[in-house]
Amino acid sequence: MKTYQEWQALRNTIGLHSNAYINGVFTPAQSGETFDCINPTDESLLVKVASCDEADVNLATAAAKNAFKSGVWSNMPPNKRKRILQKWADLLEENQDELALIDTLDMGKSISEMVNIDVPDSIDSLRWSAECIDKLYGEIAPTNPDHLALISREPLGVVAIITPWNYPLMMVMWKIAPALAAGNSVILKPSEKSPLSALRIAELATQAGVPNGVFNVLPGFGHTAGKSLALHHDIGTLAFTGSSRVAGMLMQYAGQSNMKRVWLEAGGKSPCIVFDDCKDIPAAAKGAASAIFTNQGEVCIACSRLYIHRSIKDEFMVALLDAAKAYVPGDPLDPATKMGPMVDKAQLDTVTRFIKSAIADGATLTFGGIPDYQKGQGFYAKPTIFTDASHEMEFVREEIFGPVLAVMTFDTEDEAIELANDSKYGLGASIWTNDLARAHRVSRLLESGMVWVNTWGDGDTTVPFGGVKASGNGRDKSWHALEKYTEIKNTWISLK
C-alpha cells in the first residue's frame, strides 16, 4: 500500500478522460454539453465530462448493433473471446493503482477500500466471467427417437447497462463482464457522479483487443441518456443498479418501447438482527458498525436497521459505540482513513434531512449528529446512531444511503423476523447467533435475496448478488448473471 504522500504524487501524474467512448474512439457529446466532475474531498473540479443525450445514444446504439450483426465479437470463437477478456483483466491489474485513485478522487471512497476490495473484486469478476466463456454448454431434450431437440443459449444483441456512483468500478464490472462474455455488445451509462473509471477501462478494453463498437461508454444524466437507452428499440436488454424509484421508471420505459427485458438491483434498508445467544458481542458490534459506516453508508446492502435482543441491548450498545469511534471522517487518500466524504452536496443534504427528521420524530441521538458542513472543505457526514427508533419514523422506513443507524429492540424470534420483514425492501440481512438451527430457520423466513450469518457483506464472484420485493429482480455475479445476458433457443429437428 502506498503512503499518503505517494498517492498525492500519483494524483499529479494521471490524466482523466472526459469524453464519451463510442465505437472505439473518445468523442465529445453531440450537443457539446458537459457537466462538472467534482472531487468531494475538497470540492475542486476534476474535469468537465461530456453530457450525453439521445443523439449520443443513437450513435452508440448504431455502432453496437453493427458490431453485433457483423459477428466480430458475437461469433468470435469462444476461446479467443476468452483470451481478450483475460488480457483486459491483466491490463486492469497493471493499472490498478491508477484505477483505485480515480474512484477515490471521483466519489470519495477510501483508498484502502479501493486497493483491497473494489479493484481486486473487479478484476476477479472479469477473469471469472472470461473463464466461463468456453464452459457454457447447450442441452439436448429427452425427446422420442424420431426427433432431436437442441436447447442453446445465444447472446441477446445490444445490452444497455446503467450503474450507480457508490462502487463505480466494481458495479460496472459485475455487469459488463458477463454481458460481454456472453457475446453481446454493451453500452454503459455510468452515474454522472462517478464516471471516470468507466472511461479509463473502456480505453483498456480496446487495448486488450475488444473490437470497436462492442463496448461503449456514455456519461450523462438519467433523464437524458438513461431514459433514451431505456426507450431505444434496438436495445434488447437493460441492466440497472440504483434506486427503486428509478428502477420503476425504467420498467415503464421498457413497456413503452420494445418490451426489452429489464434486470434491476434497486434500493435496500437491510436489517441486522443480534440474538441473545450471540457469544461474541464485540465482534457482532464491529460487524454492525461496518455494515452501516463502510463507504460512508453509501452501500445498497447497508444494515441501517439494527435489532438487538432486549436482554443484551445495554452491553451491545457499549460495544457498538466503541466500534463506531473507529469511523472518523477524513481524507480518503490517507490509507488510515475508513470513512471519506459523501459523494456530493446533494447526498450530504439528504443525510442531514433524515437526521433532522429522526430527531423531530423522537429518536434519541446517541452518536454523531448533523454534519458540520463548511463550503469548500468537502462533503463530510458523521457516523450517526439513533436509539429508541420505531417503524413509524421516516428514517427507519426509507433508504438514506448514508451513515445513519436506527437501533431497536425485540423480545422473541418471531418478533425479530416480523420487524425485519416489515419493509418494502428485501436486498440483504445479517443475523448474529450461535444457534445453528436458529440461523437456518431465521434465514429461510427473512424476505431477502441475501442473508449473512455472523458476518456482513461477505461473498465472492461464485455467488449471486441481488434482492426481492422493491429491491429488484436481477442477480449479479455467478452463473446467474450470465443467464441474464443470453437468450434461450429451442431448435426442434425431425429425424424421419
Side-chain angles (χ1 to χ4, degrees), residues 292-330:
I292 184 59
F293 301 137
T294 291
N295 201 36
Q296 304 80 248
E298 296 169 323
V299 184
C300 56
I301 58 171
C303 286
S304 51
R305 295 183 291 143
L306 174 59
Y307 302 99
I308 310 170
H309 193 276
R310 193 180 306 276
S311 66
I312 62 169
K313 180 193 174 185
D314 292 344
E315 180 184 1
F316 191 90
M317 286 303 301
V318 171
L320 177 64
L321 294 174
D322 185 61
K325 294 174 183 176
Y327 293 86
V328 180

Side-chain angles (χ1 to χ4, degrees), residues 45-46 66 87 148 197 217 220 226 232 247 272 302 353 415 423 437 461:
L45 176 67
L46 291 171
N66 289 337
K87 174 60 177 176
L148 176 64
S197 60
V217 180
H232 206 290
C272 176
R353 180 178 69 81
E415 182 187 6
S423 172
T461 312

Side-chain angles (χ1 to χ4, degrees), residues 473-486:
N473 58 4
R475 293 295 183 272
D476 290 323
K477 306 194 300 179
S478 81
W479 287 102
H480 301 284
L482 285 161
E483 293 171 353
K484 292 194 310 186
Y485 301 113
T486 58

Side-chain angles (χ1 to χ4, degrees), residues 100-174:
L101 180 59
I102 287 173
D103 276 359
T104 293
L105 295 175
D106 204 4
M107 66 79 54
K109 294 180 67 71
S110 74
I111 195 66
S112 294
E113 188 173 326
M114 281 302 308
V115 169
N116 294 315
I117 299 176
D118 289 40
V119 174
D121 189 288
S122 301
I123 295 170
D124 182 67
S125 180
L126 181 55
R127 284 187 173 139
W128 196 91
S129 296
E131 280 294 338
C132 291
I133 291 175
D134 56 5
K135 299 172 181 64
L136 290 171
Y137 290 84
E139 305 168 47
I140 298 177
T143 61
N144 68 61
D146 293 333
H147 301 93
L148 176 64
L150 306 178
I151 303 170
S152 57
R153 285 193 172 272
E154 300 178 350
L156 293 160
V158 180
V159 172
I161 292 173
I162 301 175
T163 53
W165 45 263
N166 59 328
Y167 286 86
L169 179 62
M170 192 168 76
M171 291 291 184
V172 162
M173 196 55 70
W174 282 8

Side-chain angles (χ1 to χ4, degrees), residues 69-383:
K69 291 293 186 181
S70 74
V72 66
W73 182 253
S74 56
N75 290 329
M76 181 182 287
N79 61 346
K80 184 176 180 181
R81 196 161 70 236
K82 170 182 171 179
R83 288 196 298 271
I84 289 174
L85 293 189
Q86 288 174 329
K87 174 60 177 176
W88 191 16
D90 292 341
L91 290 173
L92 295 183
E93 189 167 33
E94 291 173 17
N95 295 274
Q96 58 185 319
D97 283 350
E98 177 190 358
L99 294 170
L101 180 59
I102 287 173
D103 276 359
T104 293
L105 295 175
D106 204 4
M107 66 79 54
K109 294 180 67 71
S110 74
I111 195 66
S112 294
E113 188 173 326
M114 281 302 308
V115 169
N116 294 315
I117 299 176
D118 289 40
V119 174
D121 189 288
S122 301
I123 295 170
D124 182 67
S125 180
L126 181 55
R127 284 187 173 139
W128 196 91
S129 296
E131 280 294 338
C132 291
I133 291 175
D134 56 5
K135 299 172 181 64
L136 290 171
Y137 290 84
E139 305 168 47
I140 298 177
T143 61
N144 68 61
D146 293 333
H147 301 93
L148 176 64
L150 306 178
I151 303 170
S152 57
R153 285 193 172 272
E154 300 178 350
L156 293 160
V158 180
V159 172
I161 292 173
I162 301 175
T163 53
W165 45 263
N166 59 328
Y167 286 86
L169 179 62
M170 192 168 76
M171 291 291 184
V172 162
M173 196 55 70
W174 282 8
K175 285 181 164 54
I176 65 173
L180 291 170
N184 299 289
S185 294
V186 170
I187 303 171
L188 168 69
K189 193 205 85 66
S191 170
E192 71 280 1
K193 297 184 180 185
S194 56
L196 301 182
S197 60
L199 294 169
R200 176 62 174 128
I201 65 170
E203 182 181 40
L204 294 176
T206 298
Q207 187 177 333
V210 175
N212 292 343
V214 171
F215 180 44
N216 309 273
V217 180
L218 301 180
F221 293 88
H223 64 277
T224 52
K227 182 176 181 179
S228 297
L229 287 169
L231 288 169
H232 206 290
H233 284 260
D234 287 334
I235 292 173
T237 295
L238 174 65
F240 168 79
T241 294
S243 71
S244 297
R245 180 185 64 84
V246 174
M249 294 169 63
L250 295 176
M251 294 181 75
Q252 293 180 43
Y253 297 148
Q256 294 167 16
S257 54
N258 60 340
M259 297 289 287
K260 60 175 63 66
R261 64 179 67 181
V262 182
W263 298 110
L264 305 168
E265 195 264 276
K269 192 71 180 178
S270 300
C272 176
I273 306 172
V274 185
F275 288 99
D276 54 343
D277 56 38
C278 175
K279 300 301 182 186
D280 193 343
I281 286 181
K286 287 181 180 179
S290 175
I292 184 59
F293 301 137
T294 291
N295 201 36
Q296 304 80 248
E298 296 169 323
V299 184
C300 56
I301 58 171
C303 286
S304 51
R305 295 183 291 143
L306 174 59
Y307 302 99
I308 310 170
H309 193 276
R310 193 180 306 276
S311 66
I312 62 169
K313 180 193 174 185
D314 292 344
E315 180 184 1
F316 191 90
M317 286 303 301
V318 171
L320 177 64
L321 294 174
D322 185 61
K325 294 174 183 176
Y327 293 86
V328 180
D331 190 334
L333 282 183
D334 185 343
T337 296
K338 297 183 69 173
M339 186 174 169
M342 309 304 294
V343 68
D344 60 11
K345 183 61 162 55
Q347 192 60 28
L348 181 65
D349 289 344
T350 296
V351 171
T352 301
R353 180 178 69 81
F354 274 107
I355 291 175
K356 289 180 177 179
S357 77
I359 294 171
D361 286 343
T364 301
L365 179 61
T366 306
F367 188 82
I370 297 172
D372 301 317
Y373 172 70
Q374 298 183 44
K375 186 175 176 59
Q377 296 187 23
F379 309 119
Y380 288 96
K382 301 175 183 178

